[in-house]
Amino acid sequence: MEEQCDDPSSALFLDSLYLGVRKSERHSDKVTLGLLAKPHPQSRTCCPVPSQTEPPCGLNFIDLMVRQGNIDNPPKTPLVPGFECSGIVEALGDSVKGYEIGDRVMAFVNYNAWAEVVCTPVEFVYKIPDDMSFSEAAAFPMNFVTAYMMLFEVANLREGMSVLVHSAGGGVGQAVAQLCSTIPSVTVFGTASTFKHEAIKDSVTHLFDRNADYVQEVKRISAEGVDIVLDCLCGDNTGKGLSLLKPLGTYILYGSSNMVTGETKSFFSFAKSWWQVEKVNPIKLYEENKVIAGFSLLNLLFKQGRAGLIRGVVDKLLELYNQKKIKPVVDSLWALEEVKEAMQRIHDRGNIGKLILDVEKTPTPLMANDSTETSEAGEEEEDHEGDSENKERMPFIQ
């Protein structure tokens, strides 16, 4: 699918196969990714045609929330989802500097990333190292920038501190674990489905089943609790996280995956999650010397104008990548036609690392046992050890 153009006057359709983009002031600062250019056989206009490397796109839990309408001010349909991708620069706006056609890049996009052609302002585009694959690049921006911002910009992670991260097997969870390993003597507590423990046990210090009483498990190891809690679940985990904070500790909410249960938006799940959130008493925070914060990378980029700050963070992260200290964990590759199954894998917490939508990939035939069951209410069934074979539609990418 191609990017939806919100300004029809900026596009010139030459025929059913070729699309030429007319220069306009509106797009003078934008970069087009994913295609290479060659002359149209019946026109002097330079027209984009598919190259051998079309941009892979990252699949995130926020995409499930968009699908269900579990976000504030969702965009009007029809829309092309997706917030991050990688590819080759195909075209440049008149005012773009520092990039050339043919550059290998990754980018944030305010929707429209799940496409063969992506157009985005240059402030959200970053060159990638020569040894970074396009799949790794598509898995890099959201996960690692989110993890870095929470750990170092919000919570001020330092040597000897301790961190509790939920969904430790997910893309952000694995990025958090890797970044914590760059600081001496940081203890990482993680929660994850039992079947993931063997695969991720070396990335965290202490690992607990996501359905267990992790509060008691953490306090058994560290009576005072932890310095940082990173919560992507919300609901009753908010109160549990606050109760685990040491004095001067920081609780950060960066998601609310507990609100996503069945195929469609559930008022019951939303109300249940909201009701379970502990009502925060500011006086209690003051008396206990605790900090509560929230973090949304997309709002920071697209609504609050902090692209310059994020560029500095990306530069630091790429330096760590070049030093071989961090590396994106790619769970599996999916064709665009398989997006339903890919979303189901994330919904059922079946992934270890990032899922990638690959425009060039051919759909994989379904197998007889290719399913993940949920309860009638749409709630995720409790995970059991050894369930990984039933959950894995595709082998993990090493």
Side-chain angles (χ1 to χ4, degrees), residues 91-351:
L92 301 170
D94 291 341
S95 64
V96 172
K97 300 184 186 305
Y99 293 90
E100 296 180 356
I101 291 176
D103 281 346
R104 302 171 70 251
V105 296
M106 59 188 176
F108 290 110
V109 189
N110 193 12
Y111 294 99
N112 295 321
W114 297 359
E116 296 171 349
V117 185
V118 175
C119 185
T120 190
V122 67
E123 59 186 336
F124 305 133
V125 181
Y126 319 91
K127 293 181 181 179
I128 61 176
D130 293 338
D131 60 344
M132 178 181 281
S133 69
F134 285 112
S135 294
E136 286 182 330
F140 194 87
M142 286 280 286
N143 290 348
F144 276 96
V145 173
T146 296
Y148 187 98
M149 289 293 297
M150 292 191 299
L151 289 171
F152 298 105
E153 298 291 334
V154 181
N156 193 22
L157 178 67
R158 301 183 303 281
E159 180 177 353
M161 295 180 72
S162 54
V163 179
L164 169 65
V165 58
H166 291 293
S167 299
V172 174
Q174 285 295 286
V176 165
Q178 291 186 33
L179 289 172
C180 285
S181 70
T182 67
I183 305 298
S185 304
V186 171
T187 301
V188 180
F189 298 88
T191 68
S193 301
T194 305
F195 74 89
K196 299 182 182 182
H197 286 199
E198 182 63 28
I200 68 173
K201 64 182 181 180
D202 294 332
S203 64
V204 299
T205 315
H206 304 284
L207 190 57
F208 312 118
D209 178 60
R210 65 185 301 267
N211 297 308
D213 185 359
Y214 62 84
V215 174
Q216 293 304 314
E217 292 293 328
V218 171
K219 288 188 173 180
R220 181 177 59 82
I221 299 169
S222 175
E224 273 196 296
V226 297
D227 297 291
I228 301 170
V229 174
L230 305 179
D231 182 11
C232 60
L233 305 177
C234 199
D236 61 351
N237 292 283
T238 300
K240 293 177 180 179
L242 286 171
S243 71
L244 279 173
L245 284 183
K246 295 178 180 180
L248 303 181
T250 303
Y251 165 92
I252 305 174
L253 180 68
Y254 70 101
S256 53
S257 63
N258 281 345
M259 294 184 184
V260 178
T261 52
E263 286 295 316
T264 58
K265 182 177 181 179
S266 169
F267 176 78
F268 173 77
S269 297
F270 179 85
K272 177 182 176 182
S273 183
W274 177 85
W275 182 259
Q276 289 176 334
V277 174
E278 181 174 309
K279 306 307 179 286
V280 177
N281 183 341
I283 299 300
K284 188 175 181 181
L285 290 176
Y286 151 73
E287 292 175 343
E288 296 183 353
N289 286 298
K290 294 182 178 181
V291 178
I292 184 170
F295 182 76
S296 167
L297 176 58
L298 296 178
N299 284 344
L300 197 67
L301 277 170
F302 301 124
K303 295 182 179 180
Q304 297 165 344
R306 296 298 190 272
L309 171 62
I310 300 305
R311 181 167 295 278
V313 168
V314 172
D315 289 343
K316 294 175 183 176
L317 288 168
L318 289 177
E319 183 177 350
L320 291 173
Y321 176 87
N322 289 330
Q323 295 171 356
K324 311 299 183 184
K325 293 183 178 180
I326 62 173
K327 183 180 177 66
V329 178
V330 177
D331 173 82
S332 47
L333 302 181
W334 302 76
L336 284 178
E337 296 88 343
E338 300 172 317
V339 66
K340 177 182 177 181
E341 292 83 1
M343 281 189 162
Q344 187 67 48
R345 183 172 177 83
I346 290 185
H347 174 279
D348 296 332
R349 282 70 169 177
N351 58 298

